[in-house]
């Protein structure tokens, strides 16, 4: 896919009012009832990934799942939860046109929200 077609993400820790630096992410492509792993990495100090998750020849239309490892993140930064509520947050979405898809995550230890950003 040519042009500006790409996939990006951004994670904000709403409990502390700051970017979620160092959160592990996994990107999977979904094929019917199975998936295959495409990428793993961590957010930078700004809660973003340094490069688009998909762009250029790596960008393909279809269904994907971004898995945010929020439980590990909150444990690593010292949020001690006796009974953790969230472990991983999977966000499944479909890219149906060659465009910029931005999938932000706003997260706390007890809830999250996401949307198609710009």
């Amino acid at each position: 896919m040519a042009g500006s077609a790409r996939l990006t993400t951004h994670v904000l820790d709403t409990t502390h009012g700051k970017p979620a630096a160092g959160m592990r992410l996994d990107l999977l492509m979904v094929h019917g009832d199975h998936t295959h792993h495409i990428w793993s990495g961590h957010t930078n100090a700004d809660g973003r990934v340094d490069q688009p998750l998909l762009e250029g020849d790596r960008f393909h239309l279809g269904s994907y799942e971004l898995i945010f490892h929020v439980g590990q993140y909150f444990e690593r930064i010292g949020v001690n939860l006796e009974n953790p509520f969230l472990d991983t947050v999977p966000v499944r979405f479909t890219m149906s046109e060659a465009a910029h898809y931005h999938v932000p995550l706003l997260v706390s230890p007890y809830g999250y929200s996401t949307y198609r950003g710009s």
Side-chain angles (χ1 to χ4, degrees):
M1 299 269 148
S4 63
R6 65 190 185 281
L7 171 64
T8 58
T9 191
H10 188 196
V11 186
L12 297 173
D13 175 344
T14 58
T15 299
H16 299 99
K18 64 180 187 175
M23 182 179 290
R24 181 177 154 211
L25 308 172
D26 293 306
L27 178 64
L28 311 173
M29 187 167 198
V30 179
H31 301 282
D33 63 351
H34 67 280
T35 62
H36 76 265
H37 179 268
I38 295 176
W39 177 90
S40 290
H42 292 82
T43 57
N44 62 21
D46 194 35
R48 299 176 186 274
V49 177
D50 291 329
Q51 301 292 324
L53 302 172
L54 298 172
E55 70 177 337
D57 293 341
R58 292 184 43 139
F59 184 95
H60 300 283
L61 302 180
S63 295
Y64 292 85
E65 186 170 87
L66 253 174
I67 301 173
F68 299 86
H69 295 267
V70 300
Q72 288 176 355
Y73 164 78
F74 284 114
E75 182 179 345
R76 184 180 51 76
I77 66 166
V79 175
N80 295 320
L81 301 171
E82 193 170 306
N83 297 305
F85 180 64
L86 294 175
D87 181 26
T88 59
V89 172
V91 177
R92 191 168 281 197
F93 56 95
T94 300
M95 298 190 301
S96 58
E97 61 181 323
H100 178 197
Y101 289 84
H102 183 66
V103 182
L105 184 74
L106 308 175
V107 68
S108 80
Y110 300 103
Y112 65 92
S113 65
T114 189
Y115 54 93
R116 181 177 174 187
S118 59

